[in-house]
Amino acid sequence: MSFMSPAVRFQNVSRRFGSVRAVDGVSLDIEPGEFFALLGPSGSGKTTCLRLIAGFEQPDEGHIEIFGERADGVPPYRRNVNTVFQDYALFPHMTVGENVAYGLMIKGVGRAEREAKAKDALAMVKLAGYEVRRTAQLSGGQRQRVALARALVNGPKVLLLDEPLGALDLKLREQMQEELKTLQTSLGITFVFVTHDQGEALSMANRVAIFNEGKIVQVGTPSSVYERPASRFVADFVGSSNVLPPEFAAAHGGHAMWTSLRPEKIQISSKSNLVPAACAHATGTVTAISYQGAVTRITVATGKQALIAATPAGTDVRKGDSVTLIWPKSAMVAMGEDA
Amino acid sequence: MTAAVAERQRGIGSAISDVFFVRPQLLTFLLLTPPLLWIGVVYIGSLFALLLQSFYSLDDFSGLVVHEFTLSTYKQLFEASNAQIILRTVTMAALVTVTSAIIAFPIAYYAARYARGWSKALFYLAVMMPLWSSYLVKVYAWKLILAKEGIITWFANVLHLRWLLDGILALPVVGGPSLSFSYLGTFLVFVYIWLPYMILPTQAALERVPVNFIEASSDLGADPRQTFRTVIFPLALPGIVAGSIFTFSLTLGDYIIPQIVGNSRLMIGQAVYTLQGTAGNIPLAAAFTVVPMLIMAVYLWMAKRMGAFDVL
C-alpha cells in the first residue's frame, strides 16, 4: 500500500468563511478502495471537507491531492470525482435517463452509447425501466438511486456522498446502507461520505474521521473509535458513553485520567458481594429508567457520579432501587485531556 | 366530551371562522365569486363583443356599421397598407423582445445569483423605480433626449462622434431626420419602457435555480458555458418566455410611444386608435385588435411545444 498514492490526501488544509475556520489545519489520507466516513456534528467542517474534495470549495491553506494529482486550484469539472448531493440535485427539466446520461453527454459520448450506459447504471441501482420518467414522479428513495446512478455512470475514482441517507425514513435507510456497502465492495471505488449519524458511520465505513470545530479529532476503524475513543468529545459523540472524571476512574481501578465507560459494559446486580477481581463496582440508587426496545437504559446515582447502564430489555429494576453496578476494569478507556 | 370542547364562549365572528375552517371550499367559493363575475362579464364579455364587431363591416357610403356577418373586414387587413402596419408592428415587437431579453438576462442573473442585502435592494429599486413615474413623462423625456437638439446629439458633438450619429441616421428604414423621428428612436424607447417587465420574471426564474444544480452540473464535468447552456438557460426559459409575453404584447398594443417618438408610419395600436375614433370604423379596429391576440396565441402555443413551460 505504501507505494501507492492515497485516493485523497489533505495536507494541513484550512478553509475560512469570514472569520470562521470551517476547516482548520486538516491532514488526512484516504486509501484507494476505502469506504470512508466523515463524521461530526453540524458545523464541524465535515461537509466543507467533502466540498473541498469535490472542488466546490478551494483551500485557503494547504494542499489536496486526488490519486497523487494536485487538486487545489482545479475546478470540479476537471476532477475525476462525482458527488451524490444531500437533496440529490436532480435536474427537473430532464428525464431520469437524461439525468443519468448527463455527464456522458457533456463528455460528448454518442447518444446510443450513453443511453446504453445510463440504462446499465439504472439497472445497477435497481431502477431498470425508469429512463423516461420525470424526476418529479419519483419517491425520495428512488431519487437517491438516480443520483447515485448519475454519479457512478461517469466511472469516478472517488465517489462523494453528502448525508446520503439523511432524507430517507428508517427502513429505507437501513436497506440503502446495505446496498451502498454492497455496491462499494463490488465496484471497488473509494467512497467518502459525510454523516452526522454515528450509527450510519459505524455500520457502513471501513474507517471514520471524527470532526469537531473544523479539526479531525480521531481517525480509525469503527471499532477502534468506539472502543478506544481518544477524547471526551469522541466518547460522547460516537455512541453514548459515561465520561468519568480522573478521580472517579482512579478510585475504581482505572488511570487518573478522563475515562470512557460504555453503558453496555455495565451490569446491574442487586448484590454487592459477588464482584470478580477483574471488575470494578459502584453502588447507588436508580434515578431514571428509559425503555428503548431492545435495551433499557438505567441511570444510577452513585455518590457524585451518575452512571448509565444499558441492559437487555426485561431487567427487573425499579426507580429508587438500591443496586450495584459491575463492569470490567478493561472497559474503562483513558482519554486525552482535550474537550 | 363535546361539551368540554365547545366550552369556550364564542362570538358570531369566531362561529363564522369555524364554519370556514371546516368547509374551506365555501370560503374559496365566496372569495372567488366576485372576481370571477367581473372577469366573466366585463372582461370576457367585452372581448366577445369585440370579436363580434370584427365580423361586421362598415358601409362605405353611409359610414354606418352593417350588423351582418362578413369576413370582408378581415380581408381588409390583407390590403397592402394594413398588412404593412401589422408587419411593422410585429417586427418592432419581436426586435424589442429579443433586445430586452438580451439586456435583461445578465442583470437578472446578477440579481438572482450574486446580489445580497443592500445590492439586492438597489437592484429592485433600480428596476422598479422607472415604473413609479408616469409613462407619459418618461416618453416625453425620451423625446427630448433623442431630439436633434437633445443630449445625445450634444454628447456626439462633444465626443467628436457626430459622424457616427449622422451615419446611423442616414441608414435606410431605421434612420430618419433625428433619433426622435426614426424607428430606431421608437425602438429605444420601447426597450427602455418594457425592460423591467423582462427583468423581473427572468430574475424570478433564475432565483428558483438552486446553486446545487450548478454544482451538480460542474461535478458531472460541465464547464461554466455548458452548465449555462444545459441547466441554467433551460430552467430560466419559462421566466424569459413570461417576460417576452409582456414585452411582445405590450409593444404590439402600444399607440402612445410611436405617436410621440417615431416617424409618422402607424403601428397597430395607432391604427386601432384612429379607426375607432375619427374614422368610426369599429369593425376594422376590432379586426386589428384580434391580430395581436392571434399572434400571442400562436406564440404561446409554440413556446409550449418547445417545452418552455415544462418546469413550471
Side-chain angles (χ1 to χ4, degrees), chain A residues 51 77 82-83 85 87 93 102, chain B residues 212 215 217-219 221 230:
Chain A
R51 293 172 58 80
Y77 49 89
N82 286 110
T83 307
F85 287 81
D87 53 5
H93 59 299
Y102 183 79
Chain B
N212 245 348
E215 286 181 348
S217 175
S218 70
D219 186 74
T230 54

Side-chain angles (χ1 to χ4, degrees), chain B residues 77 81-82 85-86 89 254-255 259 265-279 281 284-286 288-289:
Chain B
L77 289 180
S81 60
N82 290 340
I85 291 174
I86 293 170
T89 313
D254 194 89
Y255 67 100
Q259 189 79 25
R265 298 202 178 86
L266 296 182
M267 306 273 259
I268 289 180
Q270 292 166 286
V272 172
Y273 182 74
T274 322
L275 285 168
Q276 61 83 39
T278 43
N281 192 347
L284 188 56
F288 258 119
T289 314

Side-chain angles (χ1 to χ4, degrees), chain B residues 150-300:
Chain B
I151 192 163
I152 289 185
T153 313
W154 183 80
F155 256 116
N157 285 333
V158 169
L159 299 172
H160 302 289
L161 289 172
R162 187 57 194 262
W163 55 271
L164 184 64
L165 183 61
D166 289 339
I168 291 169
L169 288 175
L171 290 174
V173 187
V174 299
S178 79
L179 281 174
S180 60
F181 287 98
S182 67
Y183 280 135
L184 191 61
T186 321
F187 167 82
L188 287 174
V189 179
F190 269 134
V191 169
Y192 167 80
I193 298 280
W194 305 140
L195 192 58
Y197 299 94
M198 181 62 93
I199 294 177
L200 291 174
T202 307
Q203 182 245 355
L206 284 167
E207 200 93 40
R208 288 198 306 265
V209 180
V211 182
N212 245 348
F213 287 177
I214 295 166
E215 286 181 348
S217 175
S218 70
D219 186 74
L220 293 165
D223 63 30
R225 274 191 331 224
Q226 289 169 314
T227 298
F228 180 84
R229 219 177 47 235
T230 54
V231 175
I232 298 171
F233 184 74
L235 290 173
L237 199 57
I240 298 171
V241 170
S244 70
I245 292 168
F246 288 122
T247 55
F248 197 69
S249 63
L250 287 170
T251 311
L252 279 182
D254 194 89
Y255 67 100
I256 294 174
I257 292 171
Q259 189 79 25
I260 299 172
V261 179
N263 54 34
S264 52
R265 298 202 178 86
L266 296 182
M267 306 273 259
I268 289 180
Q270 292 166 286
V272 172
Y273 182 74
T274 322
L275 285 168
Q276 61 83 39
T278 43
N281 192 347
I282 297 285
L284 188 56
F288 258 119
T289 314
V290 171
V291 172
M293 297 199 307
L294 274 180
I295 292 171
M296 286 314 293
V298 170
Y299 177 70
L300 287 179

Side-chain angles (χ1 to χ4, degrees), chain A residues 21 27 60 105 110 142 189 331:
Chain A
R21 283 179 162 268
S27 293
D60 292 314
M105 182 202 71
Q142 289 169 335
I189 297 173

